[in-house]
Amino acid sequence: MLSFEQARHVVEEHASSLFPHGEERVGLLESIGRVLAEPLVADRNFPPFPRATRDGYAVRAADLNPLPATLAVIGEIKAGAELSLRVGSGQTAAIMTGAPAPAGADAVVMVEYTSRQGNRVEVSRGVAVGENIVPRGAEAKQGERLLAAGIRLDAAAIALASSVGKSHLLVYIKPRVAVLATGDELVDVDVSPGPQQIRNSNSYSLAAQIRAAGGEPVLLPIAPDEPERLRELIDEGRKTNLLLLSGGVSAGRYDLVEQVLGDMKAEFLFTGVEIQPGRPMVFGRLPGSAAEFPRGRDPDSRYFFGLPGNPVSTMVTFELFAKPVVRALAGMTPTKLVFLRARLKSEVKTKTGLQRFLPAVLSGEFDQAEVELVPWHGSGDMAATARANCYLVLTPAQERIMAGEWVPVLLR
Ligand code: AMP
Ligand code: MG
């Protein structure tokens, strides 16, 4: 049984040896949310011309001494205008934000400090050389690498890609992640359940989490608590890039997942983590067909997670442990798990010994983050979890936390 931190390190370590399984070129809009598989490089200088950042007058800073100074207006430059004007001594050109500064000018004085009469303008305030102009190439030089492969393409990355003219981008192929729900009591969502039956929800929560992590879920049929069929479906699942099982990992007589995986020569990297919910989960890998490879060097081996069947446990353990593996297979640069801090709204009493991740609501605005547990009935309570927007983290040593204390929170 590992601590939460130990288990997380094991997963991160194994995830760091994983790679995506190929690349494809897609249109810019199709690439939103995908993982960049090529660096983004500046195809020209940014900005490509010295760019005015204010509306005003392009001047030679030295001309504004003494003040007020009167200059001859030789033209007007708007954004997109061709670079033809040249400002000489005693001259100026009206200029708009985003327009190219003319040759000869070395600063822009804001329109607020000027007063115009016909072809002359009086300037009441001086400027430093370079003021209100971003020099050509100041943000990036042509050929400079702006973004490395391995980032998820969000709005800012998409903006950058379009600014360097990439109408198509190379992205990683999404990893296929098999989902295998186990349990004799389970029926699928479109089947009317008998009084003793439960609808399979874990396959769907996992599918949603896999997608959010950059993977493509492959839902397998429900596995009964019966070794032959379970083995068949695990064999099916190992054809994908990662296998997630739910249920059947506790100590019960019909919890067969560990046993069947063991029979299939699985190597277990851990069995059990000191967390709640989610304690009985297992992580390991199945050998590939190439039996001659030593353990850990087998290129066809498949990682698997056996996640506990309780719906909240399944979600929490995916978030904490399976997600970094999916992200690695998707080609994303690894990140550490980040906890935010918020003030506890009302006192919490807890049992000690396990790191707990409890569904909670984070609220408040600006710097007033407050967190409160949602009332729940344990790790089967999906409705409570659906109303939550985060997990409140209780560390193993704590017994009682008072209202107003700062507590760690995991966003989801
Ligand atoms: P297990 O981990 O197999 O002992 O299951 C623990 C609890 O989670 C039991 O109450 C199961 O009925 C429930 N459960 C297991 N798998 C699923 C599933 N796929 N969808 C919803 N509930 C499940
Ligand atoms: Mg079960």
Side-chain angles (χ1 to χ4, degrees):
M1 185 77 64
L2 298 188
S3 72
F4 163 66
E5 286 84 1
Q6 287 168 330
R8 174 77 194 189
H9 281 140
V10 170
V11 166
E12 282 178 2
E13 181 120 345
H14 285 273
S16 71
S17 69
L18 295 174
F19 298 96
H21 289 81
E23 297 159 359
E24 60 180 328
R25 194 166 292 281
V26 299
L28 187 56
L29 285 174
E30 279 67 53
S31 77
I32 296 170
R34 300 294 299 272
V35 183
L36 188 63
E38 61 178 339
L40 287 184
V41 175
D43 65 325
R44 61 204 295 229
N45 287 316
F46 283 82
F49 49 82
R51 182 179 63 214
T53 60
R54 302 284 184 195
D55 295 324
Y57 288 86
V59 298
R60 296 171 175 239
D63 282 353
L64 304 186
N65 185 23
L67 288 169
T70 300
L71 302 172
V73 180
I74 60 164
E76 182 185 90
I77 311 164
K78 52 182 191 163
E82 278 181 43
L83 309 147
S84 55
L85 273 187
R86 175 169 189 92
V87 169
S89 181
Q91 296 182 327
T92 185
I95 192 163
M96 315 301 149
T97 301
D106 56 22
V108 168
V109 61
M110 288 165 68
V111 70
E112 287 86 338
Y113 306 126
T114 64
S115 133
R116 173 95 175 249
Q117 262 110 38
N119 284 341
R120 307 199 74 73
V121 64
E122 189 185 275
V123 180
S124 60
R125 200 188 269 202
V127 281
V129 170
E131 210 170 313
N132 300 325
I133 294 178
V134 183
R136 180 178 139 91
E139 292 160 359
K141 298 267 183 289
Q142 184 176 5
E144 197 177 313
R145 194 171 84 170
L146 302 175
L147 213 52
I151 66 108
R152 196 92 184 252
L153 287 153
D154 64 0
I158 291 284
L160 188 65
S162 31
S163 78
V164 298
K166 299 288 284 186
S167 61
H168 289 78
L169 286 170
L170 203 59
V171 296
Y172 291 120
I173 304 270
K174 293 184 196 176
R176 298 174 71 240
V177 182
V179 178
L180 179 53
T182 74
D184 279 344
E185 75 281 28
L186 301 179
V187 295
D188 218 333
V189 58
D190 49 3
V191 174
S192 166
Q196 76 293 5
Q197 291 179 313
I198 297 287
R199 287 197 185 94
N200 168 22
S201 61
N202 290 345
S203 293
Y204 298 96
S205 59
L206 287 171
Q209 289 178 294
I210 290 163
R211 268 202 198 145
E216 194 57 50
V218 178
L219 268 52
L220 297 172
I222 294 165
D225 294 317
E226 184 266 299
E228 295 316 309
R229 180 68 179 142
L230 184 55
R231 191 186 170 121
E232 252 172 53
L233 288 167
I234 291 174
D235 262 331
E236 205 49 47
R238 74 202 288 186
K239 292 178 189 157
T240 64
N241 305 121
L242 174 68
L243 169 61
L244 304 181
L245 297 109
S246 94
V249 290
S250 310
R253 187 153 145 62
Y254 295 97
D255 289 324
L256 302 171
V257 165
E258 224 178 303
Q259 180 202 313
V260 169
L261 285 165
D263 291 346
M264 297 170 84
K265 304 266 183 302
E267 175 191 4
F268 290 95
L269 299 160
F270 58 76
T271 55
V273 186
E274 286 160 353
I275 57 168
Q276 204 271 322
R279 189 154 117 124
M281 66 157 298
V282 302
F283 173 47
R285 63 185 154 200
L286 281 163
S289 46
E292 69 269 24
F293 287 100
R295 280 201 162 180
R297 299 272 162 77
D298 176 354
D300 295 324
S301 68
R302 279 293 168 274
Y303 284 97
F304 62 81
F305 286 90
L307 306 175
N310 264 315
V312 185
S313 312
T314 315
M315 282 185 253
V316 168
T317 48
F318 178 93
E319 198 65 29
L320 297 176
F321 302 109
K323 189 172 165 181
V325 176
V326 177
R327 288 171 55 103
L329 288 165
M332 274 178 253
T333 308
T335 50
K336 296 287 175 190
L337 202 56
V338 177
F339 297 99
L340 309 179
R341 289 202 168 248
R343 273 186 198 283
L344 191 62
K345 236 173 160 173
S346 28
E347 184 186 319
V348 172
K349 290 197 182 105
T350 170
K351 47 180 189 272
T352 54
L354 297 172
Q355 176 119 335
R356 306 185 76 195
F357 297 85
L358 304 180
V361 173
L362 187 66
S363 61
E365 61 171 7
F366 304 123
D367 58 352
Q368 302 292 315
E370 289 182 314
V371 66
E372 186 166 41
L373 290 177
V374 292
W376 77 323
H377 299 281
S379 39
D381 197 340
M382 275 173 276
T385 310
R387 289 190 288 264
N389 61 9
C390 68
Y391 297 105
L392 170 59
V393 185
L394 304 175
T395 52
Q398 286 170 304
E399 221 165 312
R400 183 173 175 195
I401 310 165
M402 311 298 275
E405 277 191 48
W406 290 94
V407 288
V409 168
L410 183 67
L411 286 183
R412 65 153 214 245

PDB file of all heavy atoms in Angstrom, residues 367-385:
ATOM      1  N   ASP A 367     -10.267  37.476  -4.781  1.00  0.00           N
ATOM      2  CA  ASP A 367      -9.353  36.688  -3.950  1.00  0.00           C
ATOM      3  C   ASP A 367     -10.056  36.080  -2.734  1.00  0.00           C
ATOM      4  O   ASP A 367      -9.431  35.772  -1.736  1.00  0.00           O
ATOM      5  CB  ASP A 367      -8.155  37.540  -3.525  1.00  0.00           C
ATOM      6  CG  ASP A 367      -8.591  38.774  -2.755  1.00  0.00           C
ATOM      7  OD1 ASP A 367      -9.805  39.035  -2.698  1.00  0.00           O
ATOM      8  OD2 ASP A 367      -7.719  39.469  -2.213  1.00  0.00           O
ATOM      9  N   GLN A 368     -11.354  35.875  -2.841  1.00  0.00           N
ATOM     10  CA  GLN A 368     -12.126  35.389  -1.687  1.00  0.00           C
ATOM     11  C   GLN A 368     -12.484  33.909  -1.816  1.00  0.00           C
ATOM     12  O   GLN A 368     -13.566  33.516  -1.409  1.00  0.00           O
ATOM     13  CB  GLN A 368     -13.432  36.191  -1.556  1.00  0.00           C
ATOM     14  CG  GLN A 368     -13.224  37.688  -1.391  1.00  0.00           C
ATOM     15  CD  GLN A 368     -12.600  38.029  -0.058  1.00  0.00           C
ATOM     16  OE1 GLN A 368     -13.018  37.504   0.970  1.00  0.00           O
ATOM     17  NE2 GLN A 368     -11.597  38.878  -0.071  1.00  0.00           N
ATOM     18  N   ALA A 369     -11.615  33.082  -2.385  1.00  0.00           N
ATOM     19  CA  ALA A 369     -11.981  31.694  -2.642  1.00  0.00           C
ATOM     20  C   ALA A 369     -12.375  30.954  -1.353  1.00  0.00           C
ATOM     21  O   ALA A 369     -11.625  30.942  -0.380  1.00  0.00           O
ATOM     22  CB  ALA A 369     -10.826  30.983  -3.317  1.00  0.00           C
ATOM     23  N   GLU A 370     -13.557  30.376  -1.387  1.00  0.00           N
ATOM     24  CA  GLU A 370     -14.063  29.613  -0.235  1.00  0.00           C
ATOM     25  C   GLU A 370     -14.472  28.237  -0.721  1.00  0.00           C
ATOM     26  O   GLU A 370     -14.940  28.083  -1.852  1.00  0.00           O
ATOM     27  CB  GLU A 370     -15.335  30.268   0.300  1.00  0.00           C
ATOM     28  CG  GLU A 370     -15.120  31.569   1.001  1.00  0.00           C
ATOM     29  CD  GLU A 370     -16.442  32.113   1.524  1.00  0.00           C
ATOM     30  OE1 GLU A 370     -17.434  32.103   0.764  1.00  0.00           O
ATOM     31  OE2 GLU A 370     -16.495  32.497   2.689  1.00  0.00           O
ATOM     32  N   VAL A 371     -14.322  27.261   0.127  1.00  0.00           N
ATOM     33  CA  VAL A 371     -14.672  25.904  -0.286  1.00  0.00           C
ATOM     34  C   VAL A 371     -15.521  25.243   0.794  1.00  0.00           C
ATOM     35  O   VAL A 371     -15.328  25.486   1.991  1.00  0.00           O
ATOM     36  CB  VAL A 371     -13.403  25.079  -0.611  1.00  0.00           C
ATOM     37  CG1 VAL A 371     -12.554  24.828   0.609  1.00  0.00           C
ATOM     38  CG2 VAL A 371     -13.763  23.765  -1.300  1.00  0.00           C
ATOM     39  N   GLU A 372     -16.467  24.429   0.329  1.00  0.00           N
ATOM     40  CA  GLU A 372     -17.362  23.746   1.260  1.00  0.00           C
ATOM     41  C   GLU A 372     -17.679  22.362   0.722  1.00  0.00           C
ATOM     42  O   GLU A 372     -17.911  22.203  -0.481  1.00  0.00           O
ATOM     43  CB  GLU A 372     -18.652  24.557   1.391  1.00  0.00           C
ATOM     44  CG  GLU A 372     -19.587  24.018   2.437  1.00  0.00           C
ATOM     45  CD  GLU A 372     -20.684  25.027   2.781  1.00  0.00           C
ATOM     46  OE1 GLU A 372     -21.212  25.672   1.853  1.00  0.00           O
ATOM     47  OE2 GLU A 372     -20.995  25.158   3.969  1.00  0.00           O
ATOM     48  N   LEU A 373     -17.684  21.374   1.604  1.00  0.00           N
ATOM     49  CA  LEU A 373     -18.062  20.023   1.181  1.00  0.00           C
ATOM     50  C   LEU A 373     -19.510  20.022   0.719  1.00  0.00           C
ATOM     51  O   LEU A 373     -20.337  20.731   1.280  1.00  0.00           O
ATOM     52  CB  LEU A 373     -17.931  19.051   2.361  1.00  0.00           C
ATOM     53  CG  LEU A 373     -16.514  18.723   2.829  1.00  0.00           C
ATOM     54  CD1 LEU A 373     -16.576  17.797   4.044  1.00  0.00           C
ATOM     55  CD2 LEU A 373     -15.736  18.050   1.698  1.00  0.00           C
ATOM     56  N   VAL A 374     -19.817  19.210  -0.305  1.00  0.00           N
ATOM     57  CA  VAL A 374     -21.237  18.993  -0.605  1.00  0.00           C
ATOM     58  C   VAL A 374     -21.693  17.836   0.296  1.00  0.00           C
ATOM     59  O   VAL A 374     -20.939  16.891   0.515  1.00  0.00           O
ATOM     60  CB  VAL A 374     -21.503  18.649  -2.095  1.00  0.00           C
ATOM     61  CG1 VAL A 374     -21.217  19.843  -2.979  1.00  0.00           C
ATOM     62  CG2 VAL A 374     -20.681  17.458  -2.558  1.00  0.00           C
ATOM     63  N   PRO A 375     -22.890  17.921   0.829  1.00  0.00           N
ATOM     64  CA  PRO A 375     -23.375  16.802   1.634  1.00  0.00           C
ATOM     65  C   PRO A 375     -23.430  15.564   0.746  1.00  0.00           C
ATOM     66  O   PRO A 375     -23.901  15.652  -0.387  1.00  0.00           O
ATOM     67  CB  PRO A 375     -24.796  17.242   2.036  1.00  0.00           C
ATOM     68  CG  PRO A 375     -24.905  18.682   1.671  1.00  0.00           C
ATOM     69  CD  PRO A 375     -23.889  18.969   0.623  1.00  0.00           C
ATOM     70  N   TRP A 376     -22.886  14.454   1.216  1.00  0.00           N
ATOM     71  CA  TRP A 376     -22.891  13.276   0.358  1.00  0.00           C
ATOM     72  C   TRP A 376     -23.017  12.007   1.178  1.00  0.00           C
ATOM     73  O   TRP A 376     -22.829  12.013   2.394  1.00  0.00           O
ATOM     74  CB  TRP A 376     -21.647  13.239  -0.546  1.00  0.00           C
ATOM     75  CG  TRP A 376     -20.366  12.801   0.103  1.00  0.00           C
ATOM     76  CD1 TRP A 376     -19.935  13.067   1.374  1.00  0.00           C
ATOM     77  CD2 TRP A 376     -19.351  12.006  -0.506  1.00  0.00           C
ATOM     78  NE1 TRP A 376     -18.715  12.517   1.597  1.00  0.00           N
ATOM     79  CE2 TRP A 376     -18.326  11.856   0.471  1.00  0.00           C
ATOM     80  CE3 TRP A 376     -19.196  11.416  -1.754  1.00  0.00           C
ATOM     81  CZ2 TRP A 376     -17.172  11.114   0.197  1.00  0.00           C
ATOM     82  CZ3 TRP A 376     -18.042  10.706  -2.007  1.00  0.00           C
ATOM     83  CH2 TRP A 376     -17.043  10.552  -1.048  1.00  0.00           C
ATOM     84  N   HIS A 377     -23.336  10.934   0.470  1.00  0.00           N
ATOM     85  CA  HIS A 377     -23.548   9.642   1.112  1.00  0.00           C
ATOM     86  C   HIS A 377     -22.465   8.667   0.704  1.00  0.00           C
ATOM     87  O   HIS A 377     -22.732   7.521   0.401  1.00  0.00           O
ATOM     88  CB  HIS A 377     -24.939   9.108   0.770  1.00  0.00           C
ATOM     89  CG  HIS A 377     -26.023  10.013   1.248  1.00  0.00           C
ATOM     90  ND1 HIS A 377     -26.453  10.051   2.555  1.00  0.00           N
ATOM     91  CD2 HIS A 377     -26.732  10.960   0.593  1.00  0.00           C
ATOM     92  CE1 HIS A 377     -27.388  10.966   2.691  1.00  0.00           C
ATOM     93  NE2 HIS A 377     -27.582  11.537   1.502  1.00  0.00           N
ATOM     94  N   GLY A 378     -21.248   9.128   0.630  1.00  0.00           N
ATOM     95  CA  GLY A 378     -20.146   8.223   0.342  1.00  0.00           C
ATOM     96  C   GLY A 378     -19.861   8.080  -1.134  1.00  0.00           C
ATOM     97  O   GLY A 378     -20.470   8.744  -1.983  1.00  0.00           O
ATOM     98  N   SER A 379     -18.928   7.182  -1.452  1.00  0.00           N
ATOM     99  CA  SER A 379     -18.336   7.186  -2.787  1.00  0.00           C
ATOM    100  C   SER A 379     -19.217   6.601  -3.887  1.00  0.00           C
ATOM    101  O   SER A 379     -18.783   6.464  -5.020  1.00  0.00           O
ATOM    102  CB  SER A 379     -16.960   6.520  -2.760  1.00  0.00           C
ATOM    103  OG  SER A 379     -16.959   5.405  -1.922  1.00  0.00           O
ATOM    104  N   GLY A 380     -20.479   6.309  -3.548  1.00  0.00           N
ATOM    105  CA  GLY A 380     -21.415   5.970  -4.619  1.00  0.00           C
ATOM    106  C   GLY A 380     -22.260   7.159  -5.028  1.00  0.00           C
ATOM    107  O   GLY A 380     -23.049   7.071  -5.977  1.00  0.00           O
ATOM    108  N   ASP A 381     -22.091   8.287  -4.328  1.00  0.00           N
ATOM    109  CA  ASP A 381     -23.016   9.421  -4.503  1.00  0.00           C
ATOM    110  C   ASP A 381     -22.631  10.288  -5.693  1.00  0.00           C
ATOM    111  O   ASP A 381     -21.927  11.276  -5.576  1.00  0.00           O
ATOM    112  CB  ASP A 381     -23.051  10.245  -3.213  1.00  0.00           C
ATOM    113  CG  ASP A 381     -24.258  11.172  -3.158  1.00  0.00           C
ATOM    114  OD1 ASP A 381     -24.828  11.462  -4.229  1.00  0.00           O
ATOM    115  OD2 ASP A 381     -24.625  11.589  -2.052  1.00  0.00           O
ATOM    116  N   MET A 382     -23.174   9.881  -6.870  1.00  0.00           N
ATOM    117  CA  MET A 382     -22.842  10.602  -8.099  1.00  0.00           C
ATOM    118  C   MET A 382     -23.492  11.965  -8.160  1.00  0.00           C
ATOM    119  O   MET A 382     -22.924  12.905  -8.718  1.00  0.00           O
ATOM    120  CB  MET A 382     -23.320   9.792  -9.301  1.00  0.00           C
ATOM    121  CG  MET A 382     -22.336   8.746  -9.729  1.00  0.00           C
ATOM    122  SD  MET A 382     -23.068   7.730 -11.017  1.00  0.00           S
ATOM    123  CE  MET A 382     -23.980   6.550 -10.044  1.00  0.00           C
ATOM    124  N   ALA A 383     -24.702  12.084  -7.600  1.00  0.00           N
ATOM    125  CA  ALA A 383     -25.408  13.371  -7.684  1.00  0.00           C
ATOM    126  C   ALA A 383     -24.641  14.435  -6.909  1.00  0.00           C
ATOM    127  O   ALA A 383     -24.458  15.558  -7.393  1.00  0.00           O
ATOM    128  CB  ALA A 383     -26.835  13.233  -7.142  1.00  0.00           C
ATOM    129  N   ALA A 384     -24.166  14.082  -5.723  1.00  0.00           N
ATOM    130  CA  ALA A 384     -23.384  15.039  -4.934  1.00  0.00           C
ATOM    131  C   ALA A 384     -22.149  15.456  -5.720  1.00  0.00           C
ATOM    132  O   ALA A 384     -21.785  16.635  -5.762  1.00  0.00           O
ATOM    133  CB  ALA A 384     -22.979  14.419  -3.600  1.00  0.00           C
ATOM    134  N   THR A 385     -21.521  14.483  -6.358  1.00  0.00           N
ATOM    135  CA  THR A 385     -20.305  14.774  -7.119  1.00  0.00           C
ATOM    136  C   THR A 385     -20.608  15.655  -8.334  1.00  0.00           C
ATOM    137  O   THR A 385     -19.822  16.531  -8.682  1.00  0.00           O
ATOM    138  CB  THR A 385     -19.637  13.461  -7.555  1.00  0.00           C
ATOM    139  OG1 THR A 385     -19.539  12.632  -6.405  1.00  0.00           O
ATOM    140  CG2 THR A 385     -18.248  13.687  -8.106  1.00  0.00           C
TER     141      THR A 385
END
